[in-house]
Amino acid sequence: ILVYIAEGTAGLPVFSMGRSGFAVLSGPTGGYLVGFVAAAYITGLLAEKGWDRRAGTTVLAMVFGNIAIYAFGLGWLALLMGANKSVLAVGLYPFIVGDFIKMALAAILLPSGWRLLKFSRRRAGDLSGGQTGG
């Protein structure tokens, strides 16, 4: 995420709608970009603790990550716009449904991917005479 932000700040068109530059970081979406760093740290830490192995804990990890993104994003947006209800109308409500859909898909796919990987490793061990290497 830090490399992504550095690339965009350096002028590569990697931010939404092909935008780039420091103005994006200092603009309305800058807080969300900083929130991505916090969310990556939080969800990565929880994944290392095995939270990505079951649907329920996968959803919780993603909820915590989204809370971090929204905390930074909405906080920054409130500084730019002034703390009022329109901050939520602009920076939260339009994205909630999409975030829930992505979390639901990831909650299904991520644990399933781990089960598939475990199965394929077990299968590879059976095919090699029980030795999986390593």
Side-chain angles (χ1 to χ4, degrees):
I1 299 297
L2 291 173
V3 170
Y4 162 73
I5 292 172
E7 290 171 342
T9 304
L12 294 175
V14 296
F15 297 140
S16 67
M17 297 184 291
R19 293 177 301 148
S20 64
F22 186 74
V24 176
L25 282 180
S26 60
T29 59
Y32 297 96
L33 292 169
V34 173
F36 289 163
V37 177
Y41 177 79
I42 291 166
T43 56
L45 185 67
L46 294 173
E48 286 178 359
K49 294 181 182 290
W51 284 44
D52 58 343
R53 302 296 200 263
R54 292 181 317 278
T57 52
T58 297
V59 168
L60 278 175
M62 289 185 287
V63 165
F64 292 141
N66 271 332
I67 288 170
I69 292 169
Y70 284 121
F72 282 93
L74 293 171
W76 181 248
L77 200 54
L79 284 174
L80 295 178
M81 293 178 59
N84 57 49
K85 291 180 184 179
S86 65
V87 168
L88 297 178
V90 172
L92 177 67
Y93 301 146
F95 306 102
I96 291 291
V97 172
D99 284 345
F100 281 132
I101 291 169
K102 289 182 274 187
M103 282 191 278
L105 288 172
I108 293 166
L109 295 174
L110 193 56
S112 299
W114 280 114
R115 284 192 293 277
L116 183 62
L117 181 62
K118 185 177 180 180
F119 173 78
S120 68
R121 285 182 176 166
R122 195 172 349 148
R123 179 98 170 118
D126 291 343
L127 295 175
S128 66
Q131 297 179 1
T132 57

